[in-house]
Amino acid sequence: MPQAKQEHEKGFRAVKGMHDVLPSDQPYWDRLDAAARDIARAYGFSRLEPPILEDADLYKKTSGETSDVVSKEMYAFRTKGGDLLALRPEYTPGTARAYLEHNLSRAGQPQKLFSMGPVFRHDRPQLGRYRQFTQIGFETVAGPNDPIYDAEIIHVFTELLKALRIDQWKLKVNSIGCRVCRPLYKKQLTNYYKSREKELCADCKERLAANPLRLLDCKEASCEALKEKAPNFLDKLCATCAEHFKSVLEYLEEVGTMYELESRLVRGLDYYDRTVFEFYAAGEEEALGAIAAGGRYDYLMEMIGGHLTPAVGGAAGAERLIAVMKARGIAPPPRNGKRVFLAHAGSLAKRKAFGLLAELRRQGIAVSEALSRESLSAQLKAADKESAGLALILGQKEIYEHSVIIRDLRTGLQEAVPRDRIAEEIKKRFATMGHAGHQ
Ligand SMILES: [Zn+2]
Ligand SMILES: [Zn+2]
């Protein structure tokens, strides 16, 4: 096929909306990974990783068939066996499915669950937004419907931002009520919009019948204007929901978390009730969209055949967090220097160096090298780039004396150490180097 051949001659490129995480970006990912794991451990969240592929109906039944995530953005396909599967567009439904399937309620309540991995949405690619992106999710499932858990989930994300040194952010919170008060509010909202139907965008005219709450989410200018006078949900909450929301806010105040009440915040997924929240980077980076978001989803388990199970959770978008860090010049902490660079002088030393490398690495010592370079100064220049703390130098003389020169690259001081004591010496020096951050 000549046409196919031509295309390959141009070379392959990543699929639209997909991105490569290059080694130069890895320090940001390491930082994020370490911060998320540290917080999960400190707050008692255990990791749960559902598979990337799920039954597409799982998302239709929970996130909602008319939600943008399911109707426009989900990668769904039929397998050769005829099953309709989807690449997960988010974590929560898969986590809920796993919770029910494995009877996790028996393992204690509440279950605090943590996830971190790729999700997929066929969205318009733009800065910080990809079709494969990474979510860091925290969920508190089962146990009492206690507002303290809503506040704790929100607090966990403020701690994540703090750990990444992202300190200018906005938190928007709202309550979208429960089964008792939401239908009444929906009716008032429908009446309000029905009388102004002509001014609505085409999408919203359709949404009005399916879910009027989603009109509050529309970004079209004509609909944006109508939101201003739309009835406010916070005025219509039932007494239980109002009390719940008030407590959430009090807990947030207790830990000094600043928030903005945002009565138009509804989140575009059907399973949410009561508390919903979104974090934005303040200033220019607000244009990246929400960097973390979530809410309470007490009815989700029922939607997929379980019992009523109070739950609250949220997820942060890793690529967006990294985009904010880069835009603000927040560098991930440098490598901690607990790395050795092995340099050699001469061809016999090169051969012996190969054996020494294997030996040190087997002992768990991270060793870099530039063995293909002959000049010692070129090798030591490479050591600088690696930000190694120590250099080992192996030359003709050292081979005959069964020694290795160890040089502290920060002070420039060096000494010869017997070959059979070198690993021990490296470990000793690393132990006194202290902790300059995560690696
Ligand atoms: Zn209510
Ligand atoms: Zn609209």
Side-chain angles (χ1 to χ4, degrees), residues 181-198:
C181 53
R182 188 154 34 174
L184 301 173
Y185 176 66
K186 273 188 179 176
K187 201 174 274 175
Q188 290 181 337
L189 202 59
T190 307
N191 291 340
Y192 168 80
Y193 276 118
K194 273 238 168 91
S195 62
R196 293 158 183 83
E197 205 167 345
K198 279 197 207 112

Side-chain angles (χ1 to χ4, degrees), residues 158-172:
T158 68
E159 290 298 289
L160 182 63
L161 292 171
K162 195 172 179 183
L164 299 175
R165 294 190 288 137
I166 297 175
D167 50 10
Q168 303 289 319
W169 46 260
K170 274 194 232 175
L171 165 63
K172 299 180 180 182

